[in-house]
Amino acid sequence: MTPDARPRTSTASATPDATRTLLEALRRRVLLRGALRAGAACILAALGVAVVLVTIDLLTPLSVGARRTLRWLPLFALGPIPIALLATRARATKERLALLADERGGRGNVTSTLRGTNAEGLVAEAFRRRASEAIHRIDPRSVVPLGARRLWSACLAAVLVLVPILALLDGPRSPDARWLRLMDTPSRAGGATSGGADSDEVLPLPSLGDVTFTLRPPGYTGLPAIEGRGGDPLPALPGSVIEVRGSGDPRGGVLRASVVGGASLPAEASDLGWSLSWIVRPDDLGLSLTIEQDGTLLERRVLPLRPLRDRAPVVTLERPERDLVLATPRGIVPVFGRADDDFGIADIELHWVRSRGSGESFDFEEGSWSWDEVVAVPNGLTGSRSLDLAELGLEPGDVLHVRTIARDANDVTGPGVGVSQTRQIRISREDDLSDVTTIIGFPIEREREPLLSQRMIILLT
């Protein structure tokens, strides 16, 4: 490396660092100045909006609903702060910052020239060295003064003036009571103090406050209780108990609670608010809450109900899989039934009907058998039984109908009853052996005509 190349490399690497450091410091100052000015201006605007709203409410009292909506308006005055910061950041380019440093730094145009020069040689290196030394002497505070002292002084002065004025408005007329706690225009009741002087007792208007509820499903479902607020849905089964509570004080007015399209409900008021209990009926649609004073409606709330229905059990008879025709009333027929329900099965039974004869001599009897085994499965029960046909006293021509019946545990609108499909077990007569559909009870040891033997071969196959 030649002696001329060594200083050229060190100066070229140091000079851009000095320019970059200065520009970054100027960018931070520009962003801080924009944030301080935008913040102070927006705070002054928010205070102005709040003062206008409070003044209007003092001159012409606003309703609770209007104040509930308008009290958020001062916050919108703070919205331009991030927009101003983004705009300031977009304008703070390196070119503008370099020109600003040249204009206010008092060092000539060294910053812009140093960023743009790409010449080589001893003269260019000497210029870069002197320019870098000049840039190090530039103070970012003198180039970009914050200049937000006047705006923040105005904010402080506004607060110092408004706080004593607002402190004079005490009781229900104070901004805290009317705009934060949403108390309405007070009513006055004349009275006498212990000293005999006239006095005015300021009473707030009755209100519902924040409404919450606890929904307790019927006991047979085994479901847990649900907590919610006034705007949440109320998914309830008939028989559910809903405890509704409010944080407001309804005393001084008339609190009416009634089922939508139904009867009214009694409500209890206390120092902590009010409460009522509602037992959901199958045709209920919701709960209506109102507060009246001197015949004037002050507040109304409606809690809509999303009614649920407990469906009847779904019951199937899985065995036998089809109707059976037996050659003789002997053998074992397996029976298997299953029942499923939304909230579980209370009991499952095997029902039977035996029909015998035909025409005028036709008769039948019915009853139920207990299962040999009952097994609990998710959301239901299964039952199995082995029918010994020899013990049933069946005769040729008899027809045995079997089906599964299940009931759920609904003790409010039920119980729900589900019935499976019916299977027939018919005992063939001597002249109808060709209709046999199963080898159960088939007299294999007894061969008769070729038709019987062919039928037996088909069934065995």
Side-chain angles (χ1 to χ4, degrees), residues 270-300:
S270 64
D271 294 337
L272 301 178
W274 57 270
S275 62
L276 61 88
S277 181
W278 170 27
I279 300 177
V280 179
R281 298 180 302 176
D283 54 348
D284 288 350
L285 300 177
L287 181 67
S288 175
L289 302 169
T290 60
I291 285 188
E292 299 179 1
Q293 188 180 54
D294 298 331
T296 302
L297 178 64
L298 301 181
E299 195 173 356
R300 178 191 296 273

PDB file of all heavy atoms in Angstrom, residues 270-300:
ATOM      1  N   SER A 270     -81.709  -2.951  47.338  1.00  0.00           N
ATOM      2  CA  SER A 270     -80.925  -2.800  48.561  1.00  0.00           C
ATOM      3  C   SER A 270     -79.887  -1.708  48.330  1.00  0.00           C
ATOM      4  O   SER A 270     -79.837  -1.076  47.271  1.00  0.00           O
ATOM      5  CB  SER A 270     -80.245  -4.123  48.939  1.00  0.00           C
ATOM      6  OG  SER A 270     -79.303  -4.495  47.950  1.00  0.00           O
ATOM      7  N   ASP A 271     -79.032  -1.490  49.342  1.00  0.00           N
ATOM      8  CA  ASP A 271     -77.977  -0.486  49.205  1.00  0.00           C
ATOM      9  C   ASP A 271     -76.954  -0.880  48.154  1.00  0.00           C
ATOM     10  O   ASP A 271     -76.233  -0.020  47.626  1.00  0.00           O
ATOM     11  CB  ASP A 271     -77.276  -0.279  50.557  1.00  0.00           C
ATOM     12  CG  ASP A 271     -78.210   0.332  51.590  1.00  0.00           C
ATOM     13  OD1 ASP A 271     -79.193   0.982  51.184  1.00  0.00           O
ATOM     14  OD2 ASP A 271     -77.970   0.139  52.800  1.00  0.00           O
ATOM     15  N   LEU A 272     -76.844  -2.172  47.850  1.00  0.00           N
ATOM     16  CA  LEU A 272     -75.878  -2.652  46.867  1.00  0.00           C
ATOM     17  C   LEU A 272     -76.451  -2.743  45.461  1.00  0.00           C
ATOM     18  O   LEU A 272     -75.738  -3.126  44.529  1.00  0.00           O
ATOM     19  CB  LEU A 272     -75.348  -4.028  47.294  1.00  0.00           C
ATOM     20  CG  LEU A 272     -74.656  -4.091  48.657  1.00  0.00           C
ATOM     21  CD1 LEU A 272     -74.223  -5.513  48.965  1.00  0.00           C
ATOM     22  CD2 LEU A 272     -73.469  -3.144  48.698  1.00  0.00           C
ATOM     23  N   GLY A 273     -77.718  -2.438  45.272  1.00  0.00           N
ATOM     24  CA  GLY A 273     -78.336  -2.515  43.954  1.00  0.00           C
ATOM     25  C   GLY A 273     -79.686  -3.212  44.023  1.00  0.00           C
ATOM     26  O   GLY A 273     -80.447  -3.034  44.972  1.00  0.00           O
ATOM     27  N   TRP A 274     -79.975  -4.018  43.037  1.00  0.00           N
ATOM     28  CA  TRP A 274     -81.237  -4.742  42.969  1.00  0.00           C
ATOM     29  C   TRP A 274     -80.981  -6.135  42.388  1.00  0.00           C
ATOM     30  O   TRP A 274     -79.937  -6.388  41.774  1.00  0.00           O
ATOM     31  CB  TRP A 274     -82.268  -3.989  42.119  1.00  0.00           C
ATOM     32  CG  TRP A 274     -81.782  -3.711  40.724  1.00  0.00           C
ATOM     33  CD1 TRP A 274     -81.102  -2.613  40.294  1.00  0.00           C
ATOM     34  CD2 TRP A 274     -81.913  -4.578  39.588  1.00  0.00           C
ATOM     35  NE1 TRP A 274     -80.786  -2.723  38.966  1.00  0.00           N
ATOM     36  CE2 TRP A 274     -81.279  -3.912  38.496  1.00  0.00           C
ATOM     37  CE3 TRP A 274     -82.484  -5.808  39.368  1.00  0.00           C
ATOM     38  CZ2 TRP A 274     -81.226  -4.468  37.233  1.00  0.00           C
ATOM     39  CZ3 TRP A 274     -82.434  -6.376  38.095  1.00  0.00           C
ATOM     40  CH2 TRP A 274     -81.812  -5.704  37.048  1.00  0.00           C
ATOM     41  N   SER A 275     -81.941  -7.038  42.574  1.00  0.00           N
ATOM     42  CA  SER A 275     -81.794  -8.404  42.076  1.00  0.00           C
ATOM     43  C   SER A 275     -83.171  -9.015  41.897  1.00  0.00           C
ATOM     44  O   SER A 275     -84.156  -8.582  42.501  1.00  0.00           O
ATOM     45  CB  SER A 275     -80.958  -9.263  43.035  1.00  0.00           C
ATOM     46  OG  SER A 275     -81.604  -9.367  44.295  1.00  0.00           O
ATOM     47  N   LEU A 276     -83.232 -10.039  41.042  1.00  0.00           N
ATOM     48  CA  LEU A 276     -84.458 -10.808  40.848  1.00  0.00           C
ATOM     49  C   LEU A 276     -84.093 -12.207  40.364  1.00  0.00           C
ATOM     50  O   LEU A 276     -82.971 -12.442  39.896  1.00  0.00           O
ATOM     51  CB  LEU A 276     -85.405 -10.109  39.854  1.00  0.00           C
ATOM     52  CG  LEU A 276     -84.909  -9.866  38.425  1.00  0.00           C
ATOM     53  CD1 LEU A 276     -85.195 -11.061  37.516  1.00  0.00           C
ATOM     54  CD2 LEU A 276     -85.584  -8.625  37.846  1.00  0.00           C
ATOM     55  N   SER A 277     -85.036 -13.115  40.480  1.00  0.00           N
ATOM     56  CA  SER A 277     -84.840 -14.496  40.045  1.00  0.00           C
ATOM     57  C   SER A 277     -85.903 -14.841  39.005  1.00  0.00           C
ATOM     58  O   SER A 277     -87.085 -14.508  39.178  1.00  0.00           O
ATOM     59  CB  SER A 277     -84.934 -15.452  41.241  1.00  0.00           C
ATOM     60  OG  SER A 277     -84.716 -16.787  40.835  1.00  0.00           O
ATOM     61  N   TRP A 278     -85.480 -15.514  37.952  1.00  0.00           N
ATOM     62  CA  TRP A 278     -86.354 -15.824  36.811  1.00  0.00           C
ATOM     63  C   TRP A 278     -86.209 -17.298  36.469  1.00  0.00           C
ATOM     64  O   TRP A 278     -85.122 -17.771  36.171  1.00  0.00           O
ATOM     65  CB  TRP A 278     -85.969 -14.920  35.646  1.00  0.00           C
ATOM     66  CG  TRP A 278     -86.592 -15.241  34.315  1.00  0.00           C
ATOM     67  CD1 TRP A 278     -87.783 -15.863  34.086  1.00  0.00           C
ATOM     68  CD2 TRP A 278     -86.060 -14.932  33.032  1.00  0.00           C
ATOM     69  NE1 TRP A 278     -88.030 -15.963  32.751  1.00  0.00           N
ATOM     70  CE2 TRP A 278     -86.989 -15.403  32.080  1.00  0.00           C
ATOM     71  CE3 TRP A 278     -84.903 -14.296  32.595  1.00  0.00           C
ATOM     72  CZ2 TRP A 278     -86.771 -15.268  30.709  1.00  0.00           C
ATOM     73  CZ3 TRP A 278     -84.687 -14.157  31.240  1.00  0.00           C
ATOM     74  CH2 TRP A 278     -85.614 -14.635  30.308  1.00  0.00           C
ATOM     75  N   ILE A 279     -87.324 -18.025  36.543  1.00  0.00           N
ATOM     76  CA  ILE A 279     -87.350 -19.433  36.142  1.00  0.00           C
ATOM     77  C   ILE A 279     -87.879 -19.493  34.715  1.00  0.00           C
ATOM     78  O   ILE A 279     -89.018 -19.096  34.440  1.00  0.00           O
ATOM     79  CB  ILE A 279     -88.224 -20.267  37.094  1.00  0.00           C
ATOM     80  CG1 ILE A 279     -87.689 -20.186  38.526  1.00  0.00           C
ATOM     81  CG2 ILE A 279     -88.283 -21.715  36.637  1.00  0.00           C
ATOM     82  CD1 ILE A 279     -88.535 -20.928  39.540  1.00  0.00           C
ATOM     83  N   VAL A 280     -87.070 -19.984  33.794  1.00  0.00           N
ATOM     84  CA  VAL A 280     -87.393 -19.962  32.369  1.00  0.00           C
ATOM     85  C   VAL A 280     -88.447 -21.018  32.050  1.00  0.00           C
ATOM     86  O   VAL A 280     -88.313 -22.185  32.432  1.00  0.00           O
ATOM     87  CB  VAL A 280     -86.122 -20.212  31.530  1.00  0.00           C
ATOM     88  CG1 VAL A 280     -86.452 -20.212  30.043  1.00  0.00           C
ATOM     89  CG2 VAL A 280     -85.082 -19.149  31.840  1.00  0.00           C
ATOM     90  N   ARG A 281     -89.489 -20.582  31.357  1.00  0.00           N
ATOM     91  CA  ARG A 281     -90.522 -21.495  30.881  1.00  0.00           C
ATOM     92  C   ARG A 281     -90.317 -21.777  29.388  1.00  0.00           C
ATOM     93  O   ARG A 281     -89.589 -21.052  28.701  1.00  0.00           O
ATOM     94  CB  ARG A 281     -91.903 -20.889  31.116  1.00  0.00           C
ATOM     95  CG  ARG A 281     -92.232 -20.633  32.581  1.00  0.00           C
ATOM     96  CD  ARG A 281     -93.622 -20.038  32.725  1.00  0.00           C
ATOM     97  NE  ARG A 281     -93.733 -18.794  31.979  1.00  0.00           N
ATOM     98  CZ  ARG A 281     -94.867 -18.102  31.860  1.00  0.00           C
ATOM     99  NH1 ARG A 281     -95.972 -18.538  32.426  1.00  0.00           N
ATOM    100  NH2 ARG A 281     -94.879 -16.986  31.163  1.00  0.00           N
ATOM    101  N   PRO A 282     -90.962 -22.826  28.867  1.00  0.00           N
ATOM    102  CA  PRO A 282     -90.710 -23.197  27.461  1.00  0.00           C
ATOM    103  C   PRO A 282     -91.033 -22.093  26.460  1.00  0.00           C
ATOM    104  O   PRO A 282     -90.415 -22.028  25.407  1.00  0.00           O
ATOM    105  CB  PRO A 282     -91.610 -24.421  27.259  1.00  0.00           C
ATOM    106  CG  PRO A 282     -91.772 -25.011  28.622  1.00  0.00           C
ATOM    107  CD  PRO A 282     -91.792 -23.841  29.560  1.00  0.00           C
ATOM    108  N   ASP A 283     -92.007 -21.210  26.762  1.00  0.00           N
ATOM    109  CA  ASP A 283     -92.410 -20.197  25.785  1.00  0.00           C
ATOM    110  C   ASP A 283     -91.841 -18.813  26.086  1.00  0.00           C
ATOM    111  O   ASP A 283     -92.234 -17.836  25.459  1.00  0.00           O
ATOM    112  CB  ASP A 283     -93.939 -20.101  25.730  1.00  0.00           C
ATOM    113  CG  ASP A 283     -94.555 -19.863  27.105  1.00  0.00           C
ATOM    114  OD1 ASP A 283     -93.823 -19.998  28.113  1.00  0.00           O
ATOM    115  OD2 ASP A 283     -95.747 -19.552  27.181  1.00  0.00           O
ATOM    116  N   ASP A 284     -90.886 -18.697  27.019  1.00  0.00           N
ATOM    117  CA  ASP A 284     -90.299 -17.389  27.340  1.00  0.00           C
ATOM    118  C   ASP A 284     -89.352 -16.948  26.222  1.00  0.00           C
ATOM    119  O   ASP A 284     -88.661 -17.776  25.611  1.00  0.00           O
ATOM    120  CB  ASP A 284     -89.527 -17.456  28.662  1.00  0.00           C
ATOM    121  CG  ASP A 284     -90.461 -17.560  29.857  1.00  0.00           C
ATOM    122  OD1 ASP A 284     -91.676 -17.390  29.656  1.00  0.00           O
ATOM    123  OD2 ASP A 284     -89.979 -17.819  30.972  1.00  0.00           O
ATOM    124  N   LEU A 285     -89.328 -15.616  25.980  1.00  0.00           N
ATOM    125  CA  LEU A 285     -88.494 -15.043  24.921  1.00  0.00           C
ATOM    126  C   LEU A 285     -87.429 -14.087  25.442  1.00  0.00           C
ATOM    127  O   LEU A 285     -86.465 -13.803  24.731  1.00  0.00           O
ATOM    128  CB  LEU A 285     -89.386 -14.294  23.906  1.00  0.00           C
ATOM    129  CG  LEU A 285     -90.441 -15.127  23.191  1.00  0.00           C
ATOM    130  CD1 LEU A 285     -91.285 -14.240  22.290  1.00  0.00           C
ATOM    131  CD2 LEU A 285     -89.787 -16.234  22.381  1.00  0.00           C
ATOM    132  N   GLY A 286     -87.582 -13.563  26.640  1.00  0.00           N
ATOM    133  CA  GLY A 286     -86.606 -12.617  27.161  1.00  0.00           C
ATOM    134  C   GLY A 286     -87.146 -11.926  28.398  1.00  0.00           C
ATOM    135  O   GLY A 286     -88.237 -12.245  28.898  1.00  0.00           O
ATOM    136  N   LEU A 287     -86.357 -10.973  28.900  1.00  0.00           N
ATOM    137  CA  LEU A 287     -86.710 -10.240  30.108  1.00  0.00           C
ATOM    138  C   LEU A 287     -86.657  -8.752  29.817  1.00  0.00           C
ATOM    139  O   LEU A 287     -85.702  -8.253  29.220  1.00  0.00           O
ATOM    140  CB  LEU A 287     -85.732 -10.592  31.239  1.00  0.00           C
ATOM    141  CG  LEU A 287     -85.986  -9.921  32.586  1.00  0.00           C
ATOM    142  CD1 LEU A 287     -87.285 -10.425  33.199  1.00  0.00           C
ATOM    143  CD2 LEU A 287     -84.817 -10.194  33.538  1.00  0.00           C
ATOM    144  N   SER A 288     -87.698  -8.019  30.232  1.00  0.00           N
ATOM    145  CA  SER A 288     -87.778  -6.575  30.044  1.00  0.00           C
ATOM    146  C   SER A 288     -87.651  -5.886  31.394  1.00  0.00           C
ATOM    147  O   SER A 288     -88.334  -6.254  32.359  1.00  0.00           O
ATOM    148  CB  SER A 288     -89.114  -6.197  29.382  1.00  0.00           C
ATOM    149  OG  SER A 288     -89.260  -4.794  29.302  1.00  0.00           O
ATOM    150  N   LEU A 289     -86.752  -4.880  31.475  1.00  0.00           N
ATOM    151  CA  LEU A 289     -86.516  -4.130  32.704  1.00  0.00           C
ATOM    152  C   LEU A 289     -86.753  -2.647  32.420  1.00  0.00           C
ATOM    153  O   LEU A 289     -86.213  -2.103  31.452  1.00  0.00           O
ATOM    154  CB  LEU A 289     -85.085  -4.331  33.194  1.00  0.00           C
ATOM    155  CG  LEU A 289     -84.647  -5.773  33.480  1.00  0.00           C
ATOM    156  CD1 LEU A 289     -83.144  -5.834  33.700  1.00  0.00           C
ATOM    157  CD2 LEU A 289     -85.377  -6.311  34.701  1.00  0.00           C
ATOM    158  N   THR A 290     -87.557  -1.991  33.239  1.00  0.00           N
ATOM    159  CA  THR A 290     -87.824  -0.560  33.080  1.00  0.00           C
ATOM    160  C   THR A 290     -87.806   0.116  34.447  1.00  0.00           C
ATOM    161  O   THR A 290     -88.084  -0.524  35.474  1.00  0.00           O
ATOM    162  CB  THR A 290     -89.184  -0.301  32.412  1.00  0.00           C
ATOM    163  OG1 THR A 290     -90.232  -0.883  33.227  1.00  0.00           O
ATOM    164  CG2 THR A 290     -89.229  -0.908  31.017  1.00  0.00           C
ATOM    165  N   ILE A 291     -87.461   1.396  34.443  1.00  0.00           N
ATOM    166  CA  ILE A 291     -87.541   2.234  35.641  1.00  0.00           C
ATOM    167  C   ILE A 291     -88.342   3.475  35.279  1.00  0.00           C
ATOM    168  O   ILE A 291     -88.042   4.145  34.289  1.00  0.00           O
ATOM    169  CB  ILE A 291     -86.142   2.614  36.158  1.00  0.00           C
ATOM    170  CG1 ILE A 291     -85.501   1.426  36.859  1.00  0.00           C
ATOM    171  CG2 ILE A 291     -86.222   3.796  37.110  1.00  0.00           C
ATOM    172  CD1 ILE A 291     -84.211   1.753  37.573  1.00  0.00           C
ATOM    173  N   GLU A 292     -89.371   3.749  36.076  1.00  0.00           N
ATOM    174  CA  GLU A 292     -90.230   4.908  35.864  1.00  0.00           C
ATOM    175  C   GLU A 292     -90.233   5.766  37.118  1.00  0.00           C
ATOM    176  O   GLU A 292     -90.044   5.279  38.241  1.00  0.00           O
ATOM    177  CB  GLU A 292     -91.658   4.466  35.529  1.00  0.00           C
ATOM    178  CG  GLU A 292     -91.769   3.638  34.257  1.00  0.00           C
ATOM    179  CD  GLU A 292     -93.201   3.200  33.995  1.00  0.00           C
ATOM    180  OE1 GLU A 292     -94.088   3.577  34.800  1.00  0.00           O
ATOM    181  OE2 GLU A 292     -93.432   2.490  33.007  1.00  0.00           O
ATOM    182  N   GLN A 293     -90.452   7.053  36.914  1.00  0.00           N
ATOM    183  CA  GLN A 293     -90.602   7.990  38.020  1.00  0.00           C
ATOM    184  C   GLN A 293     -91.658   9.023  37.655  1.00  0.00           C
ATOM    185  O   GLN A 293     -91.521   9.711  36.637  1.00  0.00           O
ATOM    186  CB  GLN A 293     -89.277   8.678  38.344  1.00  0.00           C
ATOM    187  CG  GLN A 293     -89.336   9.531  39.613  1.00  0.00           C
ATOM    188  CD  GLN A 293     -88.017  10.184  39.910  1.00  0.00           C
ATOM    189  OE1 GLN A 293     -87.466  10.869  39.051  1.00  0.00           O
ATOM    190  NE2 GLN A 293     -87.493   9.974  41.119  1.00  0.00           N
ATOM    191  N   ASP A 294     -92.704   9.076  38.458  1.00  0.00           N
ATOM    192  CA  ASP A 294     -93.815  10.003  38.227  1.00  0.00           C
ATOM    193  C   ASP A 294     -94.410   9.805  36.833  1.00  0.00           C
ATOM    194  O   ASP A 294     -94.746  10.764  36.129  1.00  0.00           O
ATOM    195  CB  ASP A 294     -93.358  11.455  38.398  1.00  0.00           C
ATOM    196  CG  ASP A 294     -92.866  11.735  39.803  1.00  0.00           C
ATOM    197  OD1 ASP A 294     -93.359  11.071  40.738  1.00  0.00           O
ATOM    198  OD2 ASP A 294     -91.984  12.597  39.967  1.00  0.00           O
ATOM    199  N   GLY A 295     -94.504   8.537  36.414  1.00  0.00           N
ATOM    200  CA  GLY A 295     -95.087   8.228  35.117  1.00  0.00           C
ATOM    201  C   GLY A 295     -94.167   8.437  33.933  1.00  0.00           C
ATOM    202  O   GLY A 295     -94.585   8.240  32.787  1.00  0.00           O
ATOM    203  N   THR A 296     -92.917   8.828  34.173  1.00  0.00           N
ATOM    204  CA  THR A 296     -91.959   9.060  33.085  1.00  0.00           C
ATOM    205  C   THR A 296     -90.984   7.895  33.018  1.00  0.00           C
ATOM    206  O   THR A 296     -90.404   7.501  34.043  1.00  0.00           O
ATOM    207  CB  THR A 296     -91.179  10.365  33.302  1.00  0.00           C
ATOM    208  OG1 THR A 296     -92.107  11.455  33.382  1.00  0.00           O
ATOM    209  CG2 THR A 296     -90.207  10.619  32.156  1.00  0.00           C
ATOM    210  N   LEU A 297     -90.801   7.371  31.820  1.00  0.00           N
ATOM    211  CA  LEU A 297     -89.862   6.272  31.626  1.00  0.00           C
ATOM    212  C   LEU A 297     -88.445   6.817  31.643  1.00  0.00           C
ATOM    213  O   LEU A 297     -88.067   7.642  30.813  1.00  0.00           O
ATOM    214  CB  LEU A 297     -90.145   5.555  30.300  1.00  0.00           C
ATOM    215  CG  LEU A 297     -89.205   4.399  29.940  1.00  0.00           C
ATOM    216  CD1 LEU A 297     -89.340   3.275  30.948  1.00  0.00           C
ATOM    217  CD2 LEU A 297     -89.500   3.897  28.531  1.00  0.00           C
ATOM    218  N   LEU A 298     -87.635   6.376  32.595  1.00  0.00           N
ATOM    219  CA  LEU A 298     -86.249   6.828  32.714  1.00  0.00           C
ATOM    220  C   LEU A 298     -85.269   5.907  31.996  1.00  0.00           C
ATOM    221  O   LEU A 298     -84.292   6.372  31.416  1.00  0.00           O
ATOM    222  CB  LEU A 298     -85.852   6.932  34.192  1.00  0.00           C
ATOM    223  CG  LEU A 298     -86.680   7.878  35.057  1.00  0.00           C
ATOM    224  CD1 LEU A 298     -86.150   7.881  36.480  1.00  0.00           C
ATOM    225  CD2 LEU A 298     -86.669   9.284  34.469  1.00  0.00           C
ATOM    226  N   GLU A 299     -85.504   4.615  32.044  1.00  0.00           N
ATOM    227  CA  GLU A 299     -84.538   3.670  31.470  1.00  0.00           C
ATOM    228  C   GLU A 299     -85.248   2.361  31.142  1.00  0.00           C
ATOM    229  O   GLU A 299     -86.178   1.954  31.843  1.00  0.00           O
ATOM    230  CB  GLU A 299     -83.391   3.423  32.455  1.00  0.00           C
ATOM    231  CG  GLU A 299     -82.178   2.751  31.848  1.00  0.00           C
ATOM    232  CD  GLU A 299     -81.010   2.687  32.821  1.00  0.00           C
ATOM    233  OE1 GLU A 299     -81.132   3.244  33.943  1.00  0.00           O
ATOM    234  OE2 GLU A 299     -79.979   2.080  32.478  1.00  0.00           O
ATOM    235  N   ARG A 300     -84.771   1.716  30.060  1.00  0.00           N
ATOM    236  CA  ARG A 300     -85.337   0.421  29.651  1.00  0.00           C
ATOM    237  C   ARG A 300     -84.187  -0.477  29.181  1.00  0.00           C
ATOM    238  O   ARG A 300     -83.296  -0.038  28.457  1.00  0.00           O
ATOM    239  CB  ARG A 300     -86.350   0.585  28.524  1.00  0.00           C
ATOM    240  CG  ARG A 300     -86.923  -0.756  28.034  1.00  0.00           C
ATOM    241  CD  ARG A 300     -87.715  -0.567  26.746  1.00  0.00           C
ATOM    242  NE  ARG A 300     -88.873   0.279  26.948  1.00  0.00           N
ATOM    243  CZ  ARG A 300     -90.051  -0.180  27.346  1.00  0.00           C
ATOM    244  NH1 ARG A 300     -90.221  -1.468  27.572  1.00  0.00           N
ATOM    245  NH2 ARG A 300     -91.063   0.653  27.497  1.00  0.00           N
TER     246      ARG A 300
END
